[in-house]
Amino acid sequence: GLNQPVKDLVTGKVEITTQNHGFVVDVDSLPGVAKTTHLHLNDGSSEGLEAPEARAFSVQYHPEAAAGPHDALYLFERLQAQMREAPR
């Protein structure tokens, strides 16, 4: 669906997103492995997660629901920062 509100729990920012999936990750089934980073404000489902030990994160939506190809730029910046901090 279009115009779905998703909150970034790290920054508190709400993004208006596009959804294109019929599934959800049950973060409670991954205790101590992953935590929710983005929350769907309509149904409370996890729209993003982080697995710190694996140095991985993801989102489960299309960030750009409106004009402007830079809505997801912060996610790529977060990935670049992780890559710079990675042990060599």
Side-chain angles (χ1 to χ4, degrees):
L2 300 174
N3 300 323
Q4 301 296 312
V6 171
K7 184 175 185 177
D8 181 337
L9 300 177
V10 175
T11 66
K13 177 181 171 185
V14 175
E15 300 175 60
I16 303 302
T17 69
T18 299
Q19 306 286 317
N20 186 23
H21 56 270
F23 57 89
V24 64
V25 174
D26 180 7
V27 179
D28 292 339
S29 70
L30 303 168
V33 176
K35 66 178 182 175
T36 295
T37 59
H38 292 74
L39 187 68
H40 193 295
L41 295 180
N42 286 343
D43 64 13
S45 62
S46 177
E47 289 292 329
L49 60 87
E50 179 181 28
E53 292 294 317
R55 298 180 40 82
F57 68 92
S58 66
V59 294
Q60 184 172 286
Y61 58 86
H62 299 283
E64 283 119 16
H70 305 293
D71 295 351
L73 186 59
Y74 77 98
L75 294 169
F76 291 100
E77 290 169 346
R78 196 177 289 175
L79 175 62
Q80 288 174 339
Q82 272 191 346
M83 291 169 41
R84 281 191 295 273
E85 294 167 5
R88 297 183 190 258

